[in-house]
Amino acid sequence: MRGLHRYPSLLAIGSAVLCVAVVGLSLVSGLGPSRGPRLIAFPSTVPEAEVLRALEDFGIGDAIGASTTPVPLSDFSRVGPVPFSDAAARSPAGDPRRTPLLDELEGRFTTGGPAGSIWRVVYLPRPSPARDEAASLALSSIGCAWAWDRAGERGSTDYIWLPALAWAIWLLWRRPGRRRLARALLSLSLSPLLYLSTLASALLFVALEAAVMIAYPIARSGDRKRLPRELWPYAVAAVSLLALDPGALPAAALSLGSLMAVALLIPRVEGAVIRRRLHEPPVFRPLTTAAYSMNARGIARAIALPSALIIAVFAVSPEPTGLKGLTGPTRTGARTAASHRIERERSRPDYDASTMLREHKAFQAAITFGRIGDASWGESSYAPAYRYVEESGRLRRSPGDDAVGGAPETGSEPIEGYETALSVLASPRPGPVF
């Protein structure tokens, strides 16, 4: 711990870099915690089954649509799960089974589109950059217009690698310029991160490039006990970036594997170069550790500039011309970006999705097993229908029919098996497509 207090400027700068990476990803790219499932919309002329099938072909088999969301519905003899699309068709306006929950779901799975058209809405749970890419390719493979709520959240851009590359060149040619060949090979090993061209991968490249240029001279000096003290801010930043964008993990793993392989090959490469000279150049070893500390502090001070430039380039760049990382069957000329945008409405503070679902299920039981005309939305119990028994050839009402009961309290009505409906109801309502 004594060593950490010797470098307060390095710790402060390292923490600032971490904040830039985390805040930049969360606020600029939307890669932080999601507000709920991803919204995808398409014209009602396109069958929902075709969209769900395309999503499944690209690895998204848990999409939530009107045809895959069961809701409780009465058939006047029992209450059971029915896909919402069927429930809506069986209970039009004026049907006693029509409830506020069905009306609410109607507004969740359909919305207004351009020129007064009607669009269908599908929900994708657990949104992530990788799943967004898969959804984009799946919808583009259908060849129809589509929209999602990710407008302004680009997974990648064609220009974001430029500041990162400039950072690597600066680190390579800055003073001291010793062993540039070895440092160039180490820098080249991190290039898979630049291929992704995502905000997270570019920031991760900057952090790892800085860490490598700090660690290399220290490792050569043999004073490897200094490495954790100098590199921990970059390690924290790298882990945080990968947590925010797991899609960069394969490229990061490839880069780190290449880095280790290059580190093992550098002595042989340098040996081959030295054999061409008359004699090996003298090995420079600092008499004190001040040179390593100055190198680390200089890199830490400068890292804020490429990080800010990367975020700025990402914020102003257009959508990428293509999506990297996934391949699949797409039609000729198919788009790889949404042609429209769908907004989310504000959440209502007095709205409780689970209560509405329980009230709906209790109401379906009331109109099925209760007295005709006595069912009331929001009531916690119902009066059971009269039962008759035959006595001496005559029908008489069964004793105890005047008791009120039959439906459990609304707050305890079980809703197991309806989690998909609950997740749709709990997410913000979709707005119009534009």
Side-chain angles (χ1 to χ4, degrees):
M1 294 301 295
R2 183 183 63 182
L4 293 178
H5 293 294
R6 293 173 58 190
Y7 309 110
S9 60
L10 175 60
L11 300 184
I13 294 171
S15 301
V17 171
L18 176 60
C19 290
V20 168
V22 174
V23 174
L25 275 172
S26 299
L27 298 182
V28 178
S29 71
L31 294 179
S34 174
R35 294 176 297 169
R38 173 75 64 217
L39 265 65
I40 290 178
F42 49 93
S44 58
T45 54
V46 179
E48 182 183 279
E50 182 178 355
V51 173
L52 296 178
R53 185 166 53 252
L55 290 171
E56 188 171 4
D57 290 342
F58 282 84
I60 303 178
D62 57 352
I64 302 173
S67 61
T68 62
T69 302
V71 295
L73 189 72
S74 169
D75 63 1
F76 299 109
S77 64
R78 65 184 185 89
V79 178
V82 175
F84 170 74
S85 55
D86 295 342
R90 294 184 193 179
S91 57
D95 190 289
R97 297 171 294 181
R98 191 76 181 189
T99 67
L101 177 131
L102 296 179
D103 294 334
E104 185 70 25
L105 284 175
E106 188 77 48
R108 303 282 177 151
F109 288 113
T110 58
T111 189
S117 60
I118 301 298
W119 284 44
R120 304 179 193 273
V121 179
V122 167
Y123 296 79
L124 305 185
R126 300 177 291 106
S128 68
R131 285 170 66 87
D132 286 343
E133 287 193 27
S136 178
L137 291 171
L139 291 164
S140 298
S141 70
I142 300 175
C144 67
W146 60 280
W148 62 4
D149 63 338
R150 200 187 174 212
E153 301 174 3
R154 292 173 297 280
S156 62
T157 174
D158 291 331
Y159 309 102
I160 202 170
W161 57 271
L162 289 173
L165 181 61
W167 167 250
I169 295 174
W170 180 80
L171 286 177
L172 183 61
W173 291 99
R174 66 190 288 269
R175 293 182 181 275
R178 302 179 185 89
R179 300 193 178 274
R180 284 201 176 103
L181 175 59
R183 291 190 288 126
L185 292 175
L186 292 172
S187 180
L188 186 63
S189 66
L190 300 177
S191 58
L193 287 168
L194 291 184
Y195 172 76
L196 280 183
S197 293
T198 65
L199 181 58
S201 67
L203 290 173
L204 187 59
F205 176 86
V206 168
L208 293 180
E209 184 77 18
V212 168
M213 295 306 149
I214 292 173
Y216 179 65
I218 297 177
R220 282 189 55 83
S221 72
D223 187 16
R224 298 184 180 181
K225 294 181 180 180
R226 297 178 55 87
L227 291 176
R229 186 171 61 207
E230 302 287 2
L231 300 182
W232 72 265
Y234 305 99
V236 173
V239 171
S240 300
L241 290 167
L242 289 173
L244 287 169
D245 186 5
L249 187 58
L254 179 60
S255 296
L256 293 177
S258 301
L259 182 66
M260 295 177 63
V262 168
L264 294 175
L265 291 175
I266 281 178
R268 295 186 179 182
V269 174
E270 289 183 330
V273 173
I274 290 171
R275 282 195 294 270
R276 297 183 179 181
R277 301 177 180 175
L278 294 178
H279 59 83
E280 182 178 353
V283 177
F284 174 79
R285 296 185 185 277
L287 297 178
T288 68
T289 61
Y292 302 129
S293 300
M294 291 177 60
N295 179 54
R297 286 198 294 269
I299 292 176
R301 291 191 188 99
I303 198 173
L305 179 60
S307 300
L309 287 176
I310 287 172
I311 294 175
V313 169
F314 182 85
V316 302
S317 295
E319 289 282 353
T321 56
L323 291 169
K324 303 178 178 69
L326 288 175
T327 58
T330 57
R331 296 180 183 177
T332 303
R335 289 180 296 274
T336 55
S339 55
H340 294 79
R341 165 86 182 258
I342 180 172
E343 291 282 0
R344 290 177 181 263
E345 296 182 355
R346 292 180 178 271
S347 299
R348 302 194 298 270
D350 58 341
Y351 172 78
D352 189 334
S354 59
T355 297
M356 177 177 286
L357 184 55
R358 287 188 171 92
E359 289 179 345
H360 169 84
K361 189 175 181 183
F363 184 80
Q364 297 298 313
I367 61 175
T368 305
F369 307 110
R371 299 175 185 176
I372 296 177
D374 282 355
S376 179
W377 175 263
E379 291 294 331
S380 60
S381 60
Y382 61 86
Y386 293 139
R387 291 175 297 173
Y388 292 86
V389 294
E390 182 179 356
E391 294 182 1
S392 304
R394 301 182 63 181
L395 292 177
R396 296 182 181 273
R397 279 177 51 189
S398 175
D401 280 342
D402 292 332
V404 175
E409 292 295 321
T410 300
S412 62
E413 179 73 14
I415 53 175
E416 287 77 10
Y418 301 103
E419 289 79 9
T420 53
L422 188 60
S423 66
V424 170
L425 292 168
S427 64
R429 189 181 180 120
V433 175
F434 61 93

